[in-house]
Amino acid sequence: MGWKFSDDLPIYLQIIEAIKTDIVSGKYRSGDRLPAVRDLAFDAGVNPNTVQRAYAELERQGLVQSERTSGRFVSIDEGKIEELRKDISNAYIRDLFKKLKDLGMDDKTIRDVLSKWRDE
Amino acid sequence: MLGKLMKYDFKAMFRNLFPIYVALIVLTLVFSLMVKFNFDQGFLFSVFAFLFVAALNGSIVACVFFVVTRFSRGLLKNEGYLSFALPVSTSMHILAKVINAVIWAFIEGLMLCLCMLIMGTVMGSIKEVAEFFREVFQVFGLIEKDMLYAVLKVIVILIMEMIASICLIYAAMAVGHLFSRNQRMIAVAFLIVVCILRSFLLMSVIDLFGHSHITAYLHTDDLVMIIIPAIFAALYSTLTWFILDKRLNLE
Amino acid sequence: METLVCNGLSKTYGSVRALDHVDLKLEEGKIIGLLGPNGSGKTTLIKLASRLLVPSEGEVTICGLKPSPETKAMVSYLPDRNYLPDWMKTGELLEMYSDFYDDFDRSRAEEMLRSLNIDEQMPLKKMSKGTKEKVQLILTMSRHAKLYLLDEPIAGVDPAARDYILKTIISNYDETATVLISTHLIADVENVLDEAVFLKEGKVVLHQNTEELRETTGKSVDEYFREVFRC
């Protein structure tokens, strides 16, 4: 039912990740309205309180703003979104480096491999 | 809430008994017409005579049967999950079932009277029917000047006795419900034991008041005749209430 | 505020102890899973709360009141079996629910029935088992109750019906209500639960927020359940 979640992480964290990805990828643009708590809960097949918690956390991080009556909107602060993009890409890069190092490559080798890969 | 409970009990009973009553009236008409037009011999007549008698008895049996099953199905089987989840007290449920039984006993009685009327009207005349009813009342040993009072008295006593019997049947089913197996057998055994105990009890009460013969019961005051079944009805219903309220255990 | 409170709640059938001194507090606004294998006392607990049973010891209260006609008016109960008279038509059942329950939202029920193309003139006995179950769920969830007691609502249904049932629950309960779902199929429901209550041989062995549980154990509720109830 609904979205797929992995077992080992709280669901609200996984929802936050999913929304962040949607914001960075442009599915939700700056100023767009996010789905209502119950609608998102319905689509994802999760508890409305879980969605509420994810939204509250996104608000705390300044990525989402809530208008009392009309719902929740993606922050219009482009800088915030840019920051988020950087955060997510940094996380990917950190992960990539960690994995490659686990394969026994040092920083220099990795850099060489990466530039060769980009050239191709 | 009582009215609403009664509404749904009535609906359920009506659904079961209506076709039977229609059949009964049709058969009464056919039978009466056959007699009226001297078509009263041969195989076909025997068949209809048999069907008519069967319908007469059958409607009584069916009425009792559906009164009993309305209680057991409605409260003690799966439908009990619905009934006991309703915002209604246990005593209301029992009261609704007792009233339901009284209503349908009346309807059954009316239907039987209607059949007699139909037969009387078709085969003879209205006058003869009236004469017949007068004789019926005379059988009860009533004098004509007190007709209204006497008829009323008999009706009240009959109703009270009937209510007591209904309450006893309900109590027996409730007692059966206490057991996980042989519920019906236990209910019937309870019914028999209580009937025996009741007659012993009544006899000893009558003895206590100085009457030495069983016929004394038949000549006691009108009020006593009404109060005794009322007391029994109350006793049985208290038992039913206790079991349904405190010991309910739906499968 | 607490919707359902159990204090030392016990129930014995003869010599069998079905519930053993259960202490439990369920708050409003939550969907709670009553999880345990068959025979762990889930149905007994639900029947005690809906006053289909009387406790042997201890007590259970709904919004501070002992089970009574008054609490029954606030509790919407879905038994684990076909409990509706099967000669009745859906339309008659709607009328019956409106008659007895002040909190029954008939238009909501009608809308849900329409969306499933269920004919109000069709008697229950002509419906498939799955459709009958959906009608029961629709009637139960169309009440604006304070407490919903759903006994095994997803047992024995296909995945599509299961999704329908869970989504109906999510989109229909009131924000101040509590939903208690009993089941032994944890993986199917755990994403919709706020809290999990594990029942083992009549005792509560765990009552925790599901997100916390996932966070602290690094496991899904289902995985953790299998660990606790390993044979």
Side-chain angles (χ1 to χ4, degrees), chain A residues 1 11-12 38 42 47 49, chain C residues 29 167 170 173 192 194 211:
Chain A
M1 173 170 113
I11 289 168
Y12 83 97
R38 251 184 215 241
F42 186 85
N47 189 297
N49 290 325
Chain C
K167 290 199 166 181
I170 294 173
Y173 82 100
V192 309
D194 280 293
E211 292 281 64

Side-chain angles (χ1 to χ4, degrees), chain B residues 164-228:
Chain B
S165 311
I166 291 162
C167 292
L168 174 58
I169 295 172
Y170 289 167
M173 285 190 280
V175 168
H177 176 74
L178 289 174
F179 298 85
S180 49
R181 271 180 298 171
N182 302 325
Q183 297 183 337
R184 270 183 218 153
M185 238 171 64
I186 289 162
V188 172
F190 176 84
L191 209 70
I192 294 168
V193 169
V194 170
C195 284
I196 295 170
L197 281 180
R198 183 187 131 114
S199 45
F200 270 117
L201 189 71
L202 282 179
M203 276 197 281
S204 25
V205 169
I206 291 161
D207 279 346
L208 216 67
F209 285 105
H211 302 287
S212 54
H213 201 266
I214 180 71
T215 50
Y217 176 60
L218 300 173
H219 294 287
T220 36
D221 281 345
D222 302 342
L223 199 60
V224 177
M225 299 277 283
I226 293 169
I227 288 176
I228 288 178

Side-chain angles (χ1 to χ4, degrees), chain C residues 79-212:
Chain C
D80 60 347
R81 63 195 63 224
N82 291 327
Y83 63 100
L84 299 169
D86 66 359
W87 53 270
M88 280 181 111
K89 295 170 185 151
T90 344
E92 291 176 299
L93 288 165
L94 292 178
E95 191 193 327
M96 186 179 191
Y97 268 67
S98 327
D99 266 354
F100 283 104
Y101 296 111
D102 293 338
D103 62 3
F104 184 65
D105 187 339
R106 187 170 179 156
S107 55
R108 183 198 273 183
E110 281 169 347
E111 203 183 299
M112 283 195 262
L113 289 169
R114 252 199 313 277
S115 72
L116 285 176
N117 291 320
I118 295 175
D119 178 10
E120 286 192 17
Q121 291 308 309
M122 188 193 270
L124 285 180
K125 67 173 152 213
K126 289 197 177 150
M127 293 177 186
S128 69
K129 182 169 164 282
T131 310
K132 238 184 266 183
E133 280 169 356
K134 281 176 191 155
V135 170
Q136 296 187 162
L137 180 80
I138 288 172
L139 289 170
T140 309
M141 294 312 297
S142 293
R143 286 182 54 198
H144 295 282
K146 286 294 293 170
L147 173 64
Y148 298 87
L149 299 171
L150 313 177
D151 199 359
E152 296 281 2
I154 55 163
V157 306
D158 59 73
R162 184 197 61 207
D163 284 6
Y164 175 80
I165 291 167
L166 292 176
K167 290 199 166 181
T168 304
I169 295 169
I170 294 173
S171 48
N172 284 292
Y173 82 100
D174 290 350
E175 265 158 44
T176 56
T178 305
V179 183
L180 185 66
I181 305 174
S182 98
T183 187
H184 58 278
L185 306 166
I186 291 93
D188 290 341
V189 299
E190 68 166 284
N191 289 352
V192 309
L193 301 179
D194 280 293
E195 292 172 4
V197 175
F198 283 11
L199 212 53
K200 192 179 189 179
E201 287 155 16
K203 290 192 172 93
V204 172
V205 291
L206 176 120
H207 179 196
Q208 204 180 3
N209 182 291
T210 49
E211 292 281 64
E212 263 175 44

Side-chain angles (χ1 to χ4, degrees), chain C residues 1 15-16 26 31 44 53 59 61 67 74 95-96 104 117 123 157 165 177 179 182 185 187 200 205 224 227 230:
Chain C
M1 208 185 99
S15 59
V16 182
L26 305 185
I31 302 180
T44 300
L53 286 175
E59 64 163 19
T61 57
M74 301 187 280
E95 191 193 327
M96 186 179 191
F104 184 65
N117 291 320
V157 306
I165 291 167
V179 183
S182 98
L185 306 166
K200 192 179 189 179
V205 291
Y224 188 67
E227 224 174 81
R230 185 174 297 143

Side-chain angles (χ1 to χ4, degrees), chain B:
Chain B
M1 281 298 173
L2 180 64
K4 290 173 187 168
L5 286 177
M6 282 163 54
K7 173 175 148 192
Y8 288 96
D9 277 337
F10 187 88
K11 268 188 164 179
M13 294 291 287
F14 183 83
R15 197 184 69 90
N16 289 321
L17 286 172
F18 182 70
I20 293 174
Y21 289 144
V22 170
L24 176 63
I25 287 173
V26 169
L27 282 168
T28 308
L29 265 173
V30 171
F31 177 75
S32 311
L33 287 169
M34 279 177 141
V35 173
K36 165 101 174 170
F37 295 107
N38 296 322
F39 195 72
D40 53 0
Q41 267 152 7
F43 177 70
L44 201 63
F45 179 74
S46 315
V47 169
F48 272 100
F50 173 78
L51 282 178
F52 170 62
V53 175
L56 270 183
N57 293 306
S59 77
I60 300 172
V61 173
C63 184
V64 173
F65 175 79
F66 286 121
V67 163
V68 169
T69 52
R70 188 86 283 279
F71 184 90
S72 63
R73 286 213 188 122
L75 297 178
L76 303 176
K77 298 281 181 310
N78 277 357
E79 215 185 302
Y81 283 87
L82 173 67
S83 303
F84 284 108
L86 297 174
V88 177
S89 66
T90 309
S91 44
M92 241 8 132
H93 278 297
I94 298 171
L95 186 58
K97 291 289 181 278
V98 172
I99 296 174
N100 177 58
V102 173
I103 288 174
W104 284 94
F106 260 106
I107 294 175
E108 177 66 33
L110 280 178
M111 292 309 295
L112 295 181
C113 287
L114 185 64
C115 288
M116 276 196 269
L117 265 172
I118 292 173
M119 280 172 72
T121 321
V122 174
M123 294 198 275
S125 66
I126 300 281
K127 222 177 183 181
E128 282 173 277
V129 176
E131 180 65 19
F132 172 75
F133 275 103
R134 209 173 58 83
E135 278 169 20
V136 169
F137 288 122
Q138 273 171 349
V139 171
F140 281 104
L142 308 170
I143 24 171
E144 300 205 17
K145 59 176 178 178
D146 285 334
M147 191 72 147
L148 193 67
Y149 170 72
V151 168
L152 242 115
K153 189 179 90 177
V154 170
I155 288 175
V156 171
I157 291 170
L158 283 178
I159 291 174
M160 289 313 295
E161 286 292 348
M162 190 185 68
I163 290 176
S165 311
I166 291 162
C167 292
L168 174 58
I169 295 172
Y170 289 167
M173 285 190 280
V175 168
H177 176 74
L178 289 174
F179 298 85
S180 49
R181 271 180 298 171
N182 302 325
Q183 297 183 337
R184 270 183 218 153
M185 238 171 64
I186 289 162
V188 172
F190 176 84
L191 209 70
I192 294 168
V193 169
V194 170
C195 284
I196 295 170
L197 281 180
R198 183 187 131 114
S199 45
F200 270 117
L201 189 71
L202 282 179
M203 276 197 281
S204 25
V205 169
I206 291 161
D207 279 346
L208 216 67
F209 285 105
H211 302 287
S212 54
H213 201 266
I214 180 71
T215 50
Y217 176 60
L218 300 173
H219 294 287
T220 36
D221 281 345
D222 302 342
L223 199 60
V224 177
M225 299 277 283
I226 293 169
I227 288 176
I228 288 178
I231 292 172
F232 277 103
L235 280 175
Y236 302 144
S237 298
T238 308
L239 177 64
T240 311
W241 176 84
F242 176 78
I243 294 171
L244 294 192
D245 203 67
K246 311 287 181 209
R247 293 283 180 273
L248 186 73
N249 186 11
L250 297 174
E251 256 180 59

